[in-house]
Amino acid sequence: MLLSNLIIRINGAVDALDYGTARRYIEENFDTVYENRHLLNSNAREILLFVQQKFESVEQTLTKEELHAITVINTYASRFDISGLKIFLREKEQLLLRENTLKNLNSDAKILLSSMGMIK
């Protein structure tokens, strides 16, 4: 896609309040758009800044499988099923080390996991 067409599409999507499309265009062509960010309107530059921060952040988003695992952990903790929780956590140690996992745990799970020594 030509640079002029890309910039027109991004700016047009932002003007039409279609931020998802604008973000997709920016993510797919990040290097080109970043080099020519002066051609973007102010809202498109804000989306570019957001995408840049997302690319630079160390923390990665959780996958569907990881979110499902967190839901299962929360369910076991709510039911106070410690043996089921221990069995489920055998292969999930790395998941508990991530900070965004801890944000998604309910209070029961946090209390049980900290008492088991799995989290701090």
Side-chain angles (χ1 to χ4, degrees), residues 3-64:
L3 175 64
S4 60
N5 286 341
L6 180 63
I7 298 298
I8 290 170
R9 286 185 183 201
I10 292 171
N11 286 334
V14 169
D15 291 339
L17 303 176
D18 189 6
Y19 298 121
T21 302
R23 179 178 173 184
R24 191 181 75 236
Y25 284 137
I26 290 171
E27 286 175 346
E28 290 173 354
N29 304 292
F30 181 76
D31 294 329
T32 306
V33 173
Y34 188 77
E35 291 173 2
N36 298 292
R37 63 186 175 271
H38 62 279
L39 299 173
L40 297 173
N41 62 24
S42 62
N43 289 337
R45 281 194 298 269
E46 289 296 322
I47 295 172
L48 177 67
L49 179 65
F50 173 78
V51 170
Q52 179 186 12
Q53 290 172 350
K54 188 95 167 145
F55 283 153
E56 291 174 353
S57 72
V58 177
E59 183 177 317
Q60 295 182 358
T61 58
L62 296 170
T63 62
K64 287 184 180 182

Side-chain angles (χ1 to χ4, degrees), residues 53-103:
Q53 290 172 350
K54 188 95 167 145
F55 283 153
E56 291 174 353
S57 72
V58 177
E59 183 177 317
Q60 295 182 358
T61 58
L62 296 170
T63 62
K64 287 184 180 182
E65 292 81 19
E66 292 168 338
L67 288 172
H68 176 68
I70 292 170
T71 304
V72 171
I73 291 169
N74 287 335
T75 304
Y76 279 129
S78 296
R79 294 180 184 167
F80 203 69
D81 185 4
I82 297 174
S83 61
L85 183 62
K86 284 182 179 179
I87 292 170
F88 182 75
L89 288 175
R90 284 189 184 153
E91 296 128 12
K92 308 289 189 239
E93 299 90 10
Q94 294 298 320
L95 179 63
L96 294 176
L97 296 175
R98 296 175 58 181
E99 188 172 323
N100 52 359
T101 299
L102 299 178
K103 294 176 186 174

